[in-house]
Amino acid sequence: MEHLSVNQRAWNSLADSGSLFARTATDEECRTPLKSLDGRGWLPDSVAGLRVLCLAAGGGWQSILYAAAGAIVTVVDLSDSMLELDLRESRRRGYHVQTIRTSMEDLSMLGAESFDIVHQPVSTCYVPDVQPVYREIARVLRDHGLYISQHKQPVSLQVSHRNERQQFVIGLEYYHQGPLPSMTDKAYREEGTTEYLHRLEDLVGGLCTSGFVIEDLREPRRADYTVDVAHFGYRGRFIPPYLRIKARRQTRTTDEHSAAVSPAGLWLPR
Ligand SMILES: C[S@@+](CC[C@H](N)C(=O)[O-])C[C@H]1O[C@@H](n2cnc3c(N)ncnc32)[C@H](O)[C@@H]1O
């Protein structure tokens, strides 16, 4: 589990040094929180009173916006410093946000079917296997609950460098196993972290086999035709960096429901 301690340290340090990903929600964004969170209309018209899990989403952005929209918010993250931002901002704004420090594949402290929405920003790249993460999300989401997630596209992580003609070279095999090696091309890689490539069959197919139905899938556009070749917008003309997925928890069968709320072997009084 070395990746966990490496990533915890790296994200503490990114948060403490004011990373772009540790940018808290602004007053302006809080005025229209649902619009700030979701430009695609994937969220319901109101989340007031809904139980929302912001997964691997420390940093005081998602949590604060959901709280501003009236949701009951829990944030899970591996990094104390990222969670500290959620606590600081929620106190400052008078919201209550519950923070839990754990890894995304162990949500055992959270009850089955206890959330209406799980919102996970880019973070599955920090664990070697997405299946245990999907399994936990499927457990904690209620039937028909919404799971919104964003992931790094495998092709973006395969780029090793540019050649002399500024073309992007795929230097890493699609079937690479284990932590990603260091690359000359550092776009969309966070300093000091250990990351993993997940193939589309795992990211997308894995959702379908974990009890979800995919309702929409987008590739956020990062192409910019006005910038020079060094800019990430130029890279975005060739390689989509992210995948954004809207998935819905399928209805559990009666047996699945009973197993979720009363684990096998546990004696329950009549
Ligand atoms: C890109 S940041 C996302 C947060 C940010 N609020 C945003 O808007 O994008 C990725 C987050 O994943 C967290 N993280 C990394 N590995 C994790 C793990 N195994 N379990 C839970 N969180 C993890 C990091 O600490 C970091 O806060």
Side-chain angles (χ1 to χ4, degrees):
M1 296 301 216
E2 200 196 328
H3 66 282
L4 294 181
S5 47
V6 169
N7 286 335
Q8 186 185 22
R9 262 198 315 275
W11 275 102
N12 281 346
S13 155
L14 284 163
D16 297 341
S17 60
S19 151
L20 199 66
F21 294 109
R23 192 182 65 76
T24 58
T26 62
D27 292 345
E28 174 75 24
E29 289 168 330
C30 285
R31 272 193 275 280
T32 51
L34 294 186
K35 201 165 142 247
S36 307
L37 278 163
D38 165 39
R40 295 174 180 82
W42 287 0
L43 287 170
D45 291 343
S46 167
V47 298
L50 297 186
R51 299 153 304 169
V52 176
L53 173 61
C54 298
L55 183 60
W61 197 77
Q62 286 87 357
S63 67
I64 298 304
L65 291 172
Y66 275 109
I72 302 159
V73 181
T74 302
V75 199
V76 158
D77 203 283
L78 191 63
S79 153
D80 322 86
S81 299
M82 289 296 270
L83 289 173
E84 193 48 50
L85 293 169
D86 297 273
L87 285 176
R88 188 194 76 194
E89 285 302 296
S90 56
R91 275 194 218 110
R92 187 173 77 79
R93 292 180 180 276
Y95 300 139
H96 174 72
V97 164
Q98 184 189 19
T99 58
I100 300 174
R101 192 172 72 73
T102 184
S103 185
M104 62 185 97
E105 67 276 78
D106 176 14
L107 305 179
S108 53
M109 68 298 293
L110 300 172
E113 304 179 34
S114 54
F115 290 96
D116 302 292
I117 297 173
V118 175
H119 189 129
Q120 181 172 23
V122 175
S123 52
T124 47
C125 50
Y126 303 116
V127 292
D129 186 2
V130 290
Q131 295 317 308
V133 182
Y134 285 165
R135 215 166 25 240
E136 279 293 74
I137 297 164
R139 186 181 66 77
V140 302
L141 254 188
R142 67 159 168 82
D143 285 2
H144 306 295
L146 182 63
Y147 174 35
I148 293 178
S149 59
Q150 186 154 316
H151 310 268
K152 291 190 182 177
Q153 293 235 11
V155 68
S156 179
L157 293 173
Q158 287 179 269
V159 174
S160 52
H161 62 284
R162 298 183 188 202
N163 68 13
E164 61 293 341
R165 294 168 60 199
Q166 293 296 337
Q167 291 167 322
F168 297 92
V169 178
I170 303 281
L172 186 81
E173 293 187 22
Y174 192 57
Y175 296 95
H176 177 83
Q177 296 282 345
L180 295 179
S182 168
M183 312 265 208
T184 311
D185 181 300
K186 300 211 181 304
Y188 302 100
R189 297 283 301 274
E190 284 74 47
E191 175 95 29
T193 61
T194 296
E195 293 188 71
Y196 300 86
L197 176 152
H198 301 302
R199 297 192 294 274
L200 294 178
E201 62 185 354
D202 296 322
L203 290 173
V204 181
L207 258 186
C208 302
T209 55
S210 301
F212 295 93
V213 169
I214 293 174
E215 294 187 347
D216 203 350
L217 185 151
R218 301 293 176 92
E219 296 175 291
R221 207 179 157 103
R222 293 292 183 271
D224 190 336
Y225 292 86
T226 65
V227 293
D228 77 39
V229 293
H231 194 273
F232 72 88
Y234 179 79
R235 191 186 195 269
R237 288 165 55 178
F238 299 87
I239 303 147
Y242 299 124
L243 193 65
R244 197 170 168 90
I245 307 176
K246 178 191 185 193
R248 180 91 46 196
R249 179 67 171 96
Q250 281 178 302
T251 313
R252 290 163 174 83
T253 61
T254 313
D255 285 352
E256 283 170 336
H257 176 73
S258 316
V261 289
S262 56
L266 183 69
W267 181 84
L268 291 174
R270 281 163 188 266

PDB file of all heavy atoms in Angstrom, residues 4 7 11 21 56-59 61-62 76-79 82 102-105 121-123 126-127, ligand 1:
ATOM      1  N   LEU A   4      -0.541   4.636  -1.197  1.00  0.00           N
ATOM      2  CA  LEU A   4      -1.399   5.462  -0.336  1.00  0.00           C
ATOM      3  C   LEU A   4      -0.580   6.492   0.441  1.00  0.00           C
ATOM      4  O   LEU A   4      -0.941   7.674   0.491  1.00  0.00           O
ATOM      5  CB  LEU A   4      -2.210   4.590   0.633  1.00  0.00           C
ATOM      6  CG  LEU A   4      -3.256   3.666  -0.002  1.00  0.00           C
ATOM      7  CD1 LEU A   4      -4.007   2.887   1.063  1.00  0.00           C
ATOM      8  CD2 LEU A   4      -4.236   4.453  -0.872  1.00  0.00           C
ATOM      9  N   ASN A   7       0.800   9.072  -2.038  1.00  0.00           N
ATOM     10  CA  ASN A   7      -0.217  10.023  -2.532  1.00  0.00           C
ATOM     11  C   ASN A   7      -0.740  10.941  -1.434  1.00  0.00           C
ATOM     12  O   ASN A   7      -1.058  12.105  -1.687  1.00  0.00           O
ATOM     13  CB  ASN A   7      -1.358   9.258  -3.214  1.00  0.00           C
ATOM     14  CG  ASN A   7      -0.917   8.737  -4.568  1.00  0.00           C
ATOM     15  OD1 ASN A   7      -0.007   9.294  -5.171  1.00  0.00           O
ATOM     16  ND2 ASN A   7      -1.533   7.676  -5.035  1.00  0.00           N
ATOM     17  N   TRP A  11      -0.411  14.881  -1.921  1.00  0.00           N
ATOM     18  CA  TRP A  11      -1.585  15.764  -1.922  1.00  0.00           C
ATOM     19  C   TRP A  11      -1.568  16.728  -0.754  1.00  0.00           C
ATOM     20  O   TRP A  11      -2.052  17.860  -0.871  1.00  0.00           O
ATOM     21  CB  TRP A  11      -2.881  14.950  -1.997  1.00  0.00           C
ATOM     22  CG  TRP A  11      -3.186  14.653  -3.434  1.00  0.00           C
ATOM     23  CD1 TRP A  11      -2.985  13.467  -4.096  1.00  0.00           C
ATOM     24  CD2 TRP A  11      -3.671  15.583  -4.412  1.00  0.00           C
ATOM     25  NE1 TRP A  11      -3.333  13.605  -5.420  1.00  0.00           N
ATOM     26  CE2 TRP A  11      -3.757  14.890  -5.631  1.00  0.00           C
ATOM     27  CE3 TRP A  11      -4.036  16.923  -4.375  1.00  0.00           C
ATOM     28  CZ2 TRP A  11      -4.204  15.503  -6.806  1.00  0.00           C
ATOM     29  CZ3 TRP A  11      -4.475  17.544  -5.539  1.00  0.00           C
ATOM     30  CH2 TRP A  11      -4.553  16.830  -6.734  1.00  0.00           C
ATOM     31  N   PHE A  21      -5.918  22.434  -7.817  1.00  0.00           N
ATOM     32  CA  PHE A  21      -6.960  21.496  -7.369  1.00  0.00           C
ATOM     33  C   PHE A  21      -7.374  21.735  -5.911  1.00  0.00           C
ATOM     34  O   PHE A  21      -8.265  21.075  -5.416  1.00  0.00           O
ATOM     35  CB  PHE A  21      -6.491  20.053  -7.543  1.00  0.00           C
ATOM     36  CG  PHE A  21      -6.323  19.677  -8.973  1.00  0.00           C
ATOM     37  CD1 PHE A  21      -5.064  19.486  -9.505  1.00  0.00           C
ATOM     38  CD2 PHE A  21      -7.424  19.537  -9.796  1.00  0.00           C
ATOM     39  CE1 PHE A  21      -4.902  19.155 -10.837  1.00  0.00           C
ATOM     40  CE2 PHE A  21      -7.274  19.207 -11.131  1.00  0.00           C
ATOM     41  CZ  PHE A  21      -6.010  19.016 -11.655  1.00  0.00           C
ATOM     42  N   ALA A  56     -13.141  11.423  -2.704  1.00  0.00           N
ATOM     43  CA  ALA A  56     -11.792  11.847  -3.107  1.00  0.00           C
ATOM     44  C   ALA A  56     -11.875  13.274  -3.649  1.00  0.00           C
ATOM     45  O   ALA A  56     -11.342  13.592  -4.704  1.00  0.00           O
ATOM     46  CB  ALA A  56     -11.204  10.888  -4.140  1.00  0.00           C
ATOM     47  N   ALA A  57     -12.596  14.100  -2.915  1.00  0.00           N
ATOM     48  CA  ALA A  57     -12.952  15.431  -3.406  1.00  0.00           C
ATOM     49  C   ALA A  57     -12.608  16.514  -2.391  1.00  0.00           C
ATOM     50  O   ALA A  57     -13.285  17.536  -2.313  1.00  0.00           O
ATOM     51  CB  ALA A  57     -14.447  15.469  -3.723  1.00  0.00           C
ATOM     52  N   GLY A  58     -11.573  16.274  -1.589  1.00  0.00           N
ATOM     53  CA  GLY A  58     -11.164  17.305  -0.651  1.00  0.00           C
ATOM     54  C   GLY A  58     -10.736  18.564  -1.394  1.00  0.00           C
ATOM     55  O   GLY A  58     -10.565  18.546  -2.620  1.00  0.00           O
ATOM     56  N   GLY A  59     -10.580  19.651  -0.651  1.00  0.00           N
ATOM     57  CA  GLY A  59     -10.100  20.882  -1.281  1.00  0.00           C
ATOM     58  C   GLY A  59     -11.096  22.030  -1.183  1.00  0.00           C
ATOM     59  O   GLY A  59     -10.807  23.146  -1.611  1.00  0.00           O
ATOM     60  N   TRP A  61     -14.067  22.595  -2.679  1.00  0.00           N
ATOM     61  CA  TRP A  61     -14.815  23.070  -3.846  1.00  0.00           C
ATOM     62  C   TRP A  61     -16.163  22.358  -3.937  1.00  0.00           C
ATOM     63  O   TRP A  61     -17.193  22.943  -3.622  1.00  0.00           O
ATOM     64  CB  TRP A  61     -13.992  22.890  -5.138  1.00  0.00           C
ATOM     65  CG  TRP A  61     -14.535  23.726  -6.260  1.00  0.00           C
ATOM     66  CD1 TRP A  61     -14.369  25.081  -6.415  1.00  0.00           C
ATOM     67  CD2 TRP A  61     -15.358  23.287  -7.345  1.00  0.00           C
ATOM     68  NE1 TRP A  61     -15.054  25.516  -7.542  1.00  0.00           N
ATOM     69  CE2 TRP A  61     -15.659  24.437  -8.132  1.00  0.00           C
ATOM     70  CE3 TRP A  61     -15.875  22.071  -7.737  1.00  0.00           C
ATOM     71  CZ2 TRP A  61     -16.447  24.386  -9.279  1.00  0.00           C
ATOM     72  CZ3 TRP A  61     -16.665  22.006  -8.892  1.00  0.00           C
ATOM     73  CH2 TRP A  61     -16.938  23.154  -9.650  1.00  0.00           C
ATOM     74  N   GLN A  62     -16.153  21.066  -4.272  1.00  0.00           N
ATOM     75  CA  GLN A  62     -17.424  20.338  -4.409  1.00  0.00           C
ATOM     76  C   GLN A  62     -18.241  20.396  -3.115  1.00  0.00           C
ATOM     77  O   GLN A  62     -19.439  20.662  -3.130  1.00  0.00           O
ATOM     78  CB  GLN A  62     -17.164  18.868  -4.776  1.00  0.00           C
ATOM     79  CG  GLN A  62     -16.734  18.637  -6.211  1.00  0.00           C
ATOM     80  CD  GLN A  62     -15.242  18.764  -6.410  1.00  0.00           C
ATOM     81  OE1 GLN A  62     -14.492  19.086  -5.486  1.00  0.00           O
ATOM     82  NE2 GLN A  62     -14.798  18.521  -7.632  1.00  0.00           N
ATOM     83  N   VAL A  76     -14.950  12.548   1.526  1.00  0.00           N
ATOM     84  CA  VAL A  76     -13.928  11.540   1.808  1.00  0.00           C
ATOM     85  C   VAL A  76     -12.677  11.906   1.031  1.00  0.00           C
ATOM     86  O   VAL A  76     -12.757  12.260  -0.148  1.00  0.00           O
ATOM     87  CB  VAL A  76     -14.439  10.136   1.382  1.00  0.00           C
ATOM     88  CG1 VAL A  76     -13.278   9.187   1.150  1.00  0.00           C
ATOM     89  CG2 VAL A  76     -15.384   9.567   2.429  1.00  0.00           C
ATOM     90  N   ASP A  77     -11.543  11.856   1.694  1.00  0.00           N
ATOM     91  CA  ASP A  77     -10.284  12.101   0.998  1.00  0.00           C
ATOM     92  C   ASP A  77      -9.153  11.454   1.803  1.00  0.00           C
ATOM     93  O   ASP A  77      -9.289  11.194   3.005  1.00  0.00           O
ATOM     94  CB  ASP A  77     -10.025  13.599   0.834  1.00  0.00           C
ATOM     95  CG  ASP A  77      -9.073  13.907  -0.320  1.00  0.00           C
ATOM     96  OD1 ASP A  77      -7.852  13.713  -0.147  1.00  0.00           O
ATOM     97  OD2 ASP A  77      -9.548  14.326  -1.401  1.00  0.00           O
ATOM     98  N   LEU A  78      -8.032  11.222   1.105  1.00  0.00           N
ATOM     99  CA  LEU A  78      -6.870  10.616   1.746  1.00  0.00           C
ATOM    100  C   LEU A  78      -5.998  11.664   2.435  1.00  0.00           C
ATOM    101  O   LEU A  78      -5.227  11.349   3.333  1.00  0.00           O
ATOM    102  CB  LEU A  78      -6.058   9.927   0.634  1.00  0.00           C
ATOM    103  CG  LEU A  78      -4.928   9.009   0.989  1.00  0.00           C
ATOM    104  CD1 LEU A  78      -5.435   7.811   1.771  1.00  0.00           C
ATOM    105  CD2 LEU A  78      -4.236   8.516  -0.294  1.00  0.00           C
ATOM    106  N   SER A  79      -6.137  12.906   1.985  1.00  0.00           N
ATOM    107  CA  SER A  79      -5.208  13.955   2.427  1.00  0.00           C
ATOM    108  C   SER A  79      -5.818  14.842   3.518  1.00  0.00           C
ATOM    109  O   SER A  79      -6.874  15.452   3.327  1.00  0.00           O
ATOM    110  CB  SER A  79      -4.825  14.817   1.215  1.00  0.00           C
ATOM    111  OG  SER A  79      -4.475  16.104   1.598  1.00  0.00           O
ATOM    112  N   MET A  82      -6.068  18.492   2.331  1.00  0.00           N
ATOM    113  CA  MET A  82      -7.207  18.778   1.445  1.00  0.00           C
ATOM    114  C   MET A  82      -8.487  18.874   2.288  1.00  0.00           C
ATOM    115  O   MET A  82      -9.299  19.783   2.098  1.00  0.00           O
ATOM    116  CB  MET A  82      -7.346  17.684   0.374  1.00  0.00           C
ATOM    117  CG  MET A  82      -6.255  17.717  -0.681  1.00  0.00           C
ATOM    118  SD  MET A  82      -6.253  19.214  -1.690  1.00  0.00           S
ATOM    119  CE  MET A  82      -7.327  18.759  -3.039  1.00  0.00           C
ATOM    120  N   THR A 102      -9.974   8.590   4.542  1.00  0.00           N
ATOM    121  CA  THR A 102      -9.836   7.165   4.230  1.00  0.00           C
ATOM    122  C   THR A 102      -9.510   7.051   2.748  1.00  0.00           C
ATOM    123  O   THR A 102      -9.586   8.028   2.009  1.00  0.00           O
ATOM    124  CB  THR A 102     -11.134   6.387   4.559  1.00  0.00           C
ATOM    125  OG1 THR A 102     -10.917   4.983   4.323  1.00  0.00           O
ATOM    126  CG2 THR A 102     -12.309   6.830   3.709  1.00  0.00           C
ATOM    127  N   SER A 103      -9.180   5.841   2.322  1.00  0.00           N
ATOM    128  CA  SER A 103      -8.968   5.627   0.897  1.00  0.00           C
ATOM    129  C   SER A 103     -10.295   5.266   0.245  1.00  0.00           C
ATOM    130  O   SER A 103     -11.161   4.648   0.874  1.00  0.00           O
ATOM    131  CB  SER A 103      -7.938   4.521   0.663  1.00  0.00           C
ATOM    132  OG  SER A 103      -7.686   4.426  -0.725  1.00  0.00           O
ATOM    133  N   MET A 104     -10.447   5.634  -1.007  1.00  0.00           N
ATOM    134  CA  MET A 104     -11.742   5.518  -1.698  1.00  0.00           C
ATOM    135  C   MET A 104     -12.253   4.083  -1.818  1.00  0.00           C
ATOM    136  O   MET A 104     -13.437   3.869  -2.031  1.00  0.00           O
ATOM    137  CB  MET A 104     -11.655   6.171  -3.076  1.00  0.00           C
ATOM    138  CG  MET A 104     -10.649   5.535  -4.007  1.00  0.00           C
ATOM    139  SD  MET A 104     -10.517   6.448  -5.560  1.00  0.00           S
ATOM    140  CE  MET A 104      -9.086   7.475  -5.242  1.00  0.00           C
ATOM    141  N   GLU A 105     -11.367   3.098  -1.687  1.00  0.00           N
ATOM    142  CA  GLU A 105     -11.866   1.721  -1.815  1.00  0.00           C
ATOM    143  C   GLU A 105     -12.265   1.122  -0.467  1.00  0.00           C
ATOM    144  O   GLU A 105     -12.669  -0.033  -0.398  1.00  0.00           O
ATOM    145  CB  GLU A 105     -10.898   0.806  -2.562  1.00  0.00           C
ATOM    146  CG  GLU A 105      -9.574   0.497  -1.903  1.00  0.00           C
ATOM    147  CD  GLU A 105      -8.533   1.567  -2.159  1.00  0.00           C
ATOM    148  OE1 GLU A 105      -8.616   2.616  -1.495  1.00  0.00           O
ATOM    149  OE2 GLU A 105      -7.631   1.337  -2.981  1.00  0.00           O
ATOM    150  N   PRO A 121     -14.511  13.637  -8.338  1.00  0.00           N
ATOM    151  CA  PRO A 121     -13.657  14.266  -9.345  1.00  0.00           C
ATOM    152  C   PRO A 121     -12.487  13.334  -9.698  1.00  0.00           C
ATOM    153  O   PRO A 121     -12.348  12.268  -9.101  1.00  0.00           O
ATOM    154  CB  PRO A 121     -13.167  15.538  -8.659  1.00  0.00           C
ATOM    155  CG  PRO A 121     -13.269  15.261  -7.202  1.00  0.00           C
ATOM    156  CD  PRO A 121     -14.357  14.239  -7.009  1.00  0.00           C
ATOM    157  N   VAL A 122     -11.659  13.758 -10.636  1.00  0.00           N
ATOM    158  CA  VAL A 122     -10.540  12.924 -11.112  1.00  0.00           C
ATOM    159  C   VAL A 122      -9.727  12.394  -9.938  1.00  0.00           C
ATOM    160  O   VAL A 122      -9.144  13.168  -9.168  1.00  0.00           O
ATOM    161  CB  VAL A 122      -9.607  13.777 -12.012  1.00  0.00           C
ATOM    162  CG1 VAL A 122      -8.386  12.971 -12.422  1.00  0.00           C
ATOM    163  CG2 VAL A 122     -10.363  14.269 -13.220  1.00  0.00           C
ATOM    164  N   SER A 123      -9.685  11.097  -9.767  1.00  0.00           N
ATOM    165  CA  SER A 123      -8.952  10.516  -8.641  1.00  0.00           C
ATOM    166  C   SER A 123      -8.757   9.010  -8.746  1.00  0.00           C
ATOM    167  O   SER A 123      -7.936   8.453  -8.016  1.00  0.00           O
ATOM    168  CB  SER A 123      -9.651  10.835  -7.306  1.00  0.00           C
ATOM    169  OG  SER A 123     -11.010  10.472  -7.366  1.00  0.00           O
ATOM    170  N   TYR A 126      -5.310   7.313  -8.878  1.00  0.00           N
ATOM    171  CA  TYR A 126      -4.413   7.147  -7.718  1.00  0.00           C
ATOM    172  C   TYR A 126      -4.533   5.779  -7.053  1.00  0.00           C
ATOM    173  O   TYR A 126      -3.891   5.544  -6.040  1.00  0.00           O
ATOM    174  CB  TYR A 126      -4.665   8.248  -6.677  1.00  0.00           C
ATOM    175  CG  TYR A 126      -4.486   9.618  -7.280  1.00  0.00           C
ATOM    176  CD1 TYR A 126      -5.543  10.500  -7.372  1.00  0.00           C
ATOM    177  CD2 TYR A 126      -3.248  10.002  -7.808  1.00  0.00           C
ATOM    178  CE1 TYR A 126      -5.386  11.738  -7.980  1.00  0.00           C
ATOM    179  CE2 TYR A 126      -3.091  11.222  -8.411  1.00  0.00           C
ATOM    180  CZ  TYR A 126      -4.166  12.085  -8.493  1.00  0.00           C
ATOM    181  OH  TYR A 126      -4.002  13.293  -9.093  1.00  0.00           O
ATOM    182  N   VAL A 127      -5.389   4.921  -7.602  1.00  0.00           N
ATOM    183  CA  VAL A 127      -5.485   3.562  -7.038  1.00  0.00           C
ATOM    184  C   VAL A 127      -5.225   2.539  -8.145  1.00  0.00           C
ATOM    185  O   VAL A 127      -5.564   2.765  -9.309  1.00  0.00           O
ATOM    186  CB  VAL A 127      -6.861   3.292  -6.364  1.00  0.00           C
ATOM    187  CG1 VAL A 127      -7.028   4.131  -5.110  1.00  0.00           C
ATOM    188  CG2 VAL A 127      -8.016   3.507  -7.324  1.00  0.00           C
TER     189      VAL A 127
HETATM  190  C1  LIG B   1      -7.777  16.155  -8.391  1.00  0.00           C
HETATM  191  S1  LIG B   1      -8.018  16.151  -6.642  1.00  0.00           S
HETATM  192  C2  LIG B   1      -9.755  16.349  -6.537  1.00  0.00           C
HETATM  193  C3  LIG B   1     -10.221  17.405  -5.643  1.00  0.00           C
HETATM  194  C4  LIG B   1     -10.603  18.733  -6.109  1.00  0.00           C
HETATM  195  N1  LIG B   1     -11.556  19.310  -5.172  1.00  0.00           N
HETATM  196  C5  LIG B   1     -11.116  18.908  -7.541  1.00  0.00           C
HETATM  197  O1  LIG B   1     -11.986  19.744  -7.704  1.00  0.00           O
HETATM  198  O2  LIG B   1     -10.656  18.319  -8.515  1.00  0.00           O
HETATM  199  C6  LIG B   1      -7.807  14.439  -6.269  1.00  0.00           C
HETATM  200  C7  LIG B   1      -8.047  14.111  -4.809  1.00  0.00           C
HETATM  201  O3  LIG B   1      -7.949  12.702  -4.649  1.00  0.00           O
HETATM  202  C8  LIG B   1      -7.425  12.461  -3.359  1.00  0.00           C
HETATM  203  N2  LIG B   1      -6.927  11.077  -3.285  1.00  0.00           N
HETATM  204  C9  LIG B   1      -5.822  10.526  -3.822  1.00  0.00           C
HETATM  205  N3  LIG B   1      -5.763   9.213  -3.554  1.00  0.00           N
HETATM  206  C10 LIG B   1      -6.876   8.918  -2.828  1.00  0.00           C
HETATM  207  C11 LIG B   1      -7.399   7.721  -2.249  1.00  0.00           C
HETATM  208  N4  LIG B   1      -6.762   6.549  -2.389  1.00  0.00           N
HETATM  209  N5  LIG B   1      -8.558   7.794  -1.579  1.00  0.00           N
HETATM  210  C12 LIG B   1      -9.206   8.977  -1.400  1.00  0.00           C
HETATM  211  N6  LIG B   1      -8.762  10.142  -1.933  1.00  0.00           N
HETATM  212  C13 LIG B   1      -7.618  10.113  -2.642  1.00  0.00           C
HETATM  213  C14 LIG B   1      -6.342  13.528  -3.203  1.00  0.00           C
HETATM  214  O4  LIG B   1      -5.972  13.725  -1.869  1.00  0.00           O
HETATM  215  C15 LIG B   1      -7.035  14.730  -3.859  1.00  0.00           C
HETATM  216  O5  LIG B   1      -7.695  15.502  -2.896  1.00  0.00           O
END
